């Protein structure tokens, strides 16, 4: 039984509000800076209230060319990043769920050996195998392509492991019942496993989408054309060592725009995401 203690509740809410302020204030300050002209940002202190250049700054960033990234618009960078994040998230889920399905429900030689080979790749992230991976991409002519940006990042030992652990909890009676009903491997996968796995898929999609959205090192290596840059690379290129050379109003607007798609994904899939993390009974 939880006792109703007003002082404890007040302290809990106070700590919660302080935490929210600490996390949210830099984002709010960035939003305020994105609504002011450049001269205001370069003349501190920056006001705490939004300015009158909000629409102009965001319109210039989205549809105009930014000089330090070769005249490419932020809209183009957002499109590239969305394609990359979606391809990585969907690709990882598809490959992982099929791999886990084969490992759990099929019997073939060296089945567990293949699983452990996949699992061991957790110790070999992209940063460790980046030189041979880059050489393969160059040899295949995939520099400055969406395939080159996404293909090396699609395999996921973590997602394969999580799907395998979930599939192991599927009762054998369900498999036998599906077999008696005449369900083949594809029908069993489509009609039984996919519906049961939807919360796991949703939770993994949120995590993997943000993983793909925030990629920096690999897109930096495989893109030479500014038109193929992602939003993280573009944001870094927009910042110069000299404040006078940096269009800070566009940088701040770009930073806010870069936050919006991941926030939308998390908000829209929040219920499924939480269920996928805490639901124990399927």
């Amino acid at each position: 039984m939880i006792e109703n203690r007003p002082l404890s509740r007040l302290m809990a809410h106070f700590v919660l509000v302080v935490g929210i302020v600490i996390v949210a204030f830099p984002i709010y300050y960035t939003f305020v800076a994105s609504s002011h002209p450049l001269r205001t940002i370069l003349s501190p202190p920056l006001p705490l209230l939004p300015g009158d250049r909000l629409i102009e700054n965001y319109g210039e960033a989205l549809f105009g060319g930014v000089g330090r990234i070769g005249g490419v618009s932020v809209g183009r960078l957002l499109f590239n990043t969305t394609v990359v994040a979606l391809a990585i998230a969907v690709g990882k889920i598809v490959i992982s769920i099929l791999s886990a399905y084969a490992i759990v429900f099929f019997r073939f030689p060296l089945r567990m050996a293949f699983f452990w080979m996949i699992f061991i790749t957790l110790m070999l992230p992209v940063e460790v195998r980046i030189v041979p991976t880059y050489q393969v991409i160059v040899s295949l002519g995939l520099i400055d392509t969406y395939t080159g940006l996404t293909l090396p990042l699609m395999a996921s030992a973590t997602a394969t492991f999580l799907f395998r652990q979930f599939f192991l909890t599927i009762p054998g009676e369900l498999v036998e019942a599906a077999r008696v009903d005449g369900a083949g491997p594809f029908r069993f996968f489509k009609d039984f496993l996919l519906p049961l796995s939807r919360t796991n898929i949703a939770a993994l999609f949120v995590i993997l989408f943000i993983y793909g959205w925030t990629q920096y090192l690999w897109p930096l290596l495989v893109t030479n054309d500014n038109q193929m840059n992602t939003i993280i690379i573009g944001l870094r290129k927009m910042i110069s060592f000299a404040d006078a050379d940096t269009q800070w109003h566009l940088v701040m607007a770009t930073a806010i725009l870069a936050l919006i798609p991941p926030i939308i994904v998390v908000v829209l899939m929040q219920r499924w995401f939480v269920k996928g993390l805490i639901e124990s009974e399927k």
Side-chain angles (χ1 to χ4, degrees):
M1 181 177 179
I2 301 176
E3 298 183 8
N4 186 10
R5 298 180 178 178
L7 182 60
S8 298
R9 293 183 61 185
L10 181 63
M11 287 298 299
H13 281 82
F14 174 75
V15 172
L16 182 61
V17 170
V18 170
I20 292 174
V21 170
I22 292 174
V23 172
F25 183 74
I27 300 176
Y28 172 76
Y29 204 60
T30 303
F31 172 74
V32 169
S34 70
S35 65
H36 286 281
L38 179 59
R39 62 180 180 274
T40 303
I41 300 175
L42 294 178
S43 302
L46 184 70
L48 292 178
L49 295 177
D52 57 355
R53 290 290 303 274
L54 181 68
I55 298 177
E56 292 85 348
N57 288 349
Y58 281 83
E60 183 180 354
L62 271 174
F63 307 110
V66 181
R68 290 192 60 83
I69 51 177
V72 179
S73 67
V74 174
R76 172 70 185 190
L77 301 180
L78 288 172
F79 174 78
N80 292 342
T81 313
T82 302
V83 171
V84 170
L86 285 175
I88 290 175
V90 174
K92 278 179 175 288
I93 290 173
V94 171
I95 294 173
S96 300
I97 197 170
L98 291 176
S99 301
Y101 176 55
I103 290 170
V104 173
F105 293 101
F106 289 85
R107 299 293 181 265
F108 53 89
L110 302 178
R111 177 172 59 94
M112 290 308 298
F114 285 121
F115 167 71
W116 285 110
M117 288 173 63
I118 295 172
F119 191 73
I120 288 173
T121 60
L122 283 173
M123 297 183 290
L124 298 172
V126 175
E127 292 77 9
V128 174
R129 50 186 168 83
I130 199 161
V131 173
T133 305
Y134 180 77
Q135 181 61 47
V136 171
I137 294 299
V138 171
S139 302
L140 295 176
L142 297 179
I143 297 296
D144 287 325
T145 64
Y146 291 121
T147 304
L149 279 167
T150 58
L151 188 61
L153 302 176
M154 282 187 181
S156 174
T158 303
T160 303
F161 175 75
L162 293 176
F163 279 123
R164 175 184 176 271
Q165 294 304 108
F166 169 65
F167 289 163
L168 289 175
T169 66
I170 301 294
E173 293 81 1
L174 180 62
V175 181
E176 291 299 326
R179 185 177 293 114
V180 170
D181 287 342
F186 177 75
R187 183 184 168 192
F188 175 72
F189 176 76
K190 179 176 70 72
D191 294 342
F192 291 87
L193 288 186
L194 282 183
L196 289 172
S197 305
R198 60 182 183 270
T199 55
N200 303 71
I201 293 173
L204 281 171
F205 178 82
V206 173
I207 296 171
L208 297 175
F209 181 88
I210 296 175
Y211 166 82
W213 189 269
T214 56
Q215 282 298 306
Y216 177 76
L217 180 59
W218 182 249
L220 180 65
L221 286 176
V222 298
T223 55
N224 298 321
D225 185 359
N226 289 323
Q227 292 285 341
M228 292 301 299
N229 284 159
T230 60
I231 191 70
I232 305 299
I233 303 299
L235 190 60
R236 175 62 188 88
K237 288 184 177 181
M238 290 170 65
I239 300 175
S240 173
F241 290 105
D243 281 348
D245 293 338
T246 303
Q247 297 174 294
W248 284 110
H249 59 303
L250 299 184
V251 171
M252 298 302 177
T254 303
I256 294 296
L257 290 170
L259 288 174
I260 293 176
I263 291 175
I264 292 175
V265 170
V266 172
V267 170
L268 291 180
M269 303 190 69
Q270 179 183 13
R271 183 170 64 90
W272 292 96
F273 177 68
V274 174
K275 287 180 65 177
L277 293 180
I278 67 175
E279 192 176 57
S280 58
E281 295 183 3
K282 304 293 180 180

